[in-house]
Amino acid sequence: MTGDEPMDGWEGEEVSLRVFELSHRESELTAALLRHLLFQITMVRIQRGELSGRGERIVVIAGADTFARPDLERFDSICRRNGLRLVLLFAHLRDSAVEVLGGGDAVLFMRLGNAKEAEQAATFIGRQHRLVASQFTYSHGTNTSTSTSDSTTRGNSASTSDSVGVQTSDSRQATFGLLFSRRHRSGSKSSGEQYSSSTTGGTSWSESISSSTSSGTTESTSIGYQRQYEFAVEPTVLQGLSPTAFVMVDPLDPASPRLGDCDPRLASP
């Protein structure tokens, strides 16, 4: 199918779209011949300036897998000389697709189910240094200390005292009378014994008990990091993209690579 289809643009501008399409009903041999012929005719028309128009002009080749690298590079060179921007769409990241990667301004990768193709894309996107946790250490300790002391004091004391005393008293008296010529004597004698005894004693007892307990808990955590050179986008990420998601690599974008999505439902209010 060939033709020009006017389209409504932004801010009232008119966008012109021209599409050249090969029918899937053609045989493989006829399709290959027509594809090569259409490729050459388009290059000639670009060289002659027939694909002119206002604003930015873009040429999109869908299914560029079928063209060899030299042909694609020549087509890109012609487009650049004539002020056109070339966009190449590859169904698979193989052969010529890998060889021409990076030749344009930007590259978009959509879901790549094949592991080898996903690794090719991840290699093109590049690697970067990352700090990855390589070691994790956790230690926990509990310390408990208990001390108990008992002391008991007992004492006994006893004392005994004895005293013995003896007392003797003797008194005599003599009386001489005038009536009688003989002398008269009188007297008395007394004696006594004193005994005393005392005993004292006592018992003292004291007891003391002291106890102390101390406990403590210590915890420590340490993480070791290692600098590794890894893929900026892992191949598994490219394999798991949604059908409308893409990863864009633009050498002019300092934040490249970027993750985006071309689902038209996201732009709808």
Side-chain angles (χ1 to χ4, degrees):
M1 180 182 68
T2 304
D4 294 334
E5 299 180 7
M7 300 176 62
D8 294 333
W10 293 272
E11 299 180 358
E13 295 182 359
E14 183 177 312
V15 179
S16 177
L17 175 64
R18 181 175 298 175
V19 179
F20 300 92
E21 181 182 10
L22 293 178
S23 174
H24 295 285
R25 293 175 297 182
E26 301 291 344
S27 63
E28 183 62 29
L29 181 60
T30 303
L33 179 61
L34 292 176
R35 188 182 302 115
H36 180 73
L37 181 61
L38 181 59
F39 187 84
Q40 298 296 330
I41 292 175
T42 304
M43 280 198 299
V44 172
R45 297 189 63 180
I46 293 175
Q47 286 179 319
R48 294 178 178 178
E50 297 181 9
L51 300 181
S52 60
R54 295 180 301 173
E56 186 179 10
R57 294 176 296 166
I58 303 174
V59 177
V60 180
I61 299 180
D65 310 67
T66 56
F67 299 105
R69 174 184 176 182
D71 296 334
L72 295 175
E73 290 179 344
R74 185 168 64 253
F75 198 102
D76 180 62
S77 177
I78 294 173
C79 289
R80 289 178 182 273
R81 287 199 302 266
N82 290 271
L84 276 76
R85 186 175 182 179
L86 177 62
V87 176
L88 301 177
L89 302 180
F90 294 91
H92 298 281
L93 196 58
R94 305 170 185 165
D95 304 329
S96 58
V98 177
E99 295 174 352
V100 299
L101 280 179
D105 298 330
V107 177
L108 272 72
F109 294 102
M110 301 190 76
R111 183 170 61 185
L112 296 167
N114 185 277
K116 186 176 181 180
E117 294 180 12
E119 185 176 357
Q120 292 275 15
T123 302
F124 173 81
I125 293 172
R127 299 173 182 264
Q128 61 184 12
H129 286 100
R130 292 181 179 176
L131 290 177
V132 181
S134 58
Q135 184 178 4
F136 179 81
T137 304
Y138 172 78
S139 63
H140 175 83
T142 302
N143 181 23
T144 302
S145 173
T146 304
S147 63
T148 304
S149 64
D150 298 334
S151 65
T152 303
T153 304
R154 290 191 178 127
N156 295 319
S157 64
S159 64
T160 304
S161 65
D162 296 329
S163 65
V164 179
V166 179
Q167 183 179 6
T168 304
S169 172
D170 187 8
S171 67
R172 293 180 184 184
Q173 183 178 7
T175 306
F176 296 91
L178 295 178
L179 297 179
F180 300 95
S181 58
R182 60 176 185 172
R183 188 174 57 178
H184 177 76
R185 289 184 178 180
S186 64
S188 64
K189 184 179 180 181
S190 63
S191 63
E193 183 176 347
Q194 185 180 2
Y195 174 82
S196 64
S197 176
S198 64
T199 301
T200 61
T203 301
S204 62
W205 177 82
S206 65
E207 182 177 2
S208 64
I209 300 176
S210 63
S211 176
S212 64
T213 303
S214 62
S215 61
T217 302
T218 58
E219 293 185 4
S220 63
T221 303
S222 63
I223 302 177
Y225 291 91
Q226 185 176 0
R227 191 168 182 257
Q228 296 184 357
Y229 194 56
E230 298 181 340
F231 286 121
V233 178
E234 292 292 334
T236 52
V237 175
L238 296 169
Q239 290 179 279
L241 290 176
S242 65
T244 57
F246 61 87
V247 176
M248 184 179 70
V249 182
D250 190 349
L252 302 179
D253 184 3
S256 178
R258 290 181 182 269
L259 179 64
D261 200 308
C262 57
D263 190 342
R265 294 174 296 180
L266 298 176
S268 60

